[in-house]
Each structure stands twice: as structure tokens, then as C-alpha cells.
Amino acid sequence: MNADQFVKEWASAYNDQDFDRFGALFTDDVAYTLKAFGLAFTGRDAWVGHVREYAAAVPDRRLTVKRTVADGDTIAVEYDFAGTSAGVMANLPPKGEPVTVSFCTILQLRGDRAAAQVDYLGG
């Protein structure tokens, strides 16, 4: 699978809230990091568990991919995240308020799966 296909499947599985399909894109020992919020998870179950929790907090969330750049086994993805807060996480706006942020994600592949995902936030 090439970088564009991988990112299309990654965003599609996330947007569809198909957690099994999303998880299948990652190695068993995937490392996830979002330093801005002090988040770090090791292992597919922990990472997908976090994605499930966030899906409950922003149930209508969508990723809109703006750009993908690949170099060997590394993929950089620039995208916008948008949805509506369910009001269940303290670090998110109150219920019914919009949640919008721009991200850059770096995916490190091992074979045809991501072994690491590092997220960086924008405005």
C-alpha cells in the first residue's frame, strides 16, 4: 500500500469510527505520542482505546486531509479535525460547542502498518 492509500484508509477508518479497521493499520507495539497534552500510549489496544474515548467525547468528529508527504517509511499528514463536544472531557469545550484544530501527524511504517504515530497541534 502506498502512502496516499495508507492515509486514505487511516482517515476513512477514523471518520467511520471503524475501530477494528483503524487498529489493523497499526503494529501490536505501536507507540503514540501527543506531547502538547502529555499523551503517550504503547500498544495497539491502548492507542485504539484512546481513539474510542475521544470518539465518545466528539462523536461527529471528522478528519479532512489537506496534504500528505512521504519519504521512505515515513508519512507526514496535514489535516483538520472538526466536530462537536459531547461535554464529557474536561479539556474540551462544553457540550454542543465546536471542537476544531489543525494537526500534523507523522506516521512511521514498519511494513504495511504504522509502528509509531506522533501528533502535533496547530491552531
Side-chain angles (χ1 to χ4, degrees):
M1 177 178 335
N2 71 32
D4 288 330
Q5 291 169 323
F6 187 92
V7 170
K8 183 177 179 180
E9 180 63 13
W10 172 83
S12 175
Y14 186 92
N15 287 339
D16 292 346
Q17 297 192 36
D18 187 335
F19 304 111
D20 291 335
R21 198 170 98 218
F22 184 79
L25 295 169
F26 295 89
T27 61
D28 291 339
D29 63 343
V30 63
Y32 172 79
T33 307
L34 175 57
K35 288 183 183 179
F37 291 141
L39 296 176
F41 301 98
T42 302
R44 181 186 306 140
D45 291 343
W47 167 221
V48 174
H50 171 71
V51 171
R52 283 181 187 273
E53 288 175 11
Y54 213 79
V58 187
D60 64 344
R61 84 241 188 289
R62 302 285 301 170
L63 303 182
T64 303
V65 174
K66 296 167 65 177
R67 180 172 36 167
T68 300
V69 178
D71 182 19
D73 290 338
T74 303
I75 304 171
V77 187
E78 179 185 8
Y79 58 97
D80 292 327
F81 173 99
T84 308
S85 177
V88 298
M89 282 191 166
N91 63 337
L92 292 177
K95 183 176 182 175
E97 294 293 318
V99 178
T100 59
V101 68
S102 296
F103 278 90
C104 179
T105 290
I106 307 298
L107 296 160
Q108 183 65 50
L109 301 183
R110 186 184 317 136
D112 61 350
R113 294 184 182 185
Q117 177 171 326
V118 179
D119 286 343
Y120 298 93
L121 298 177

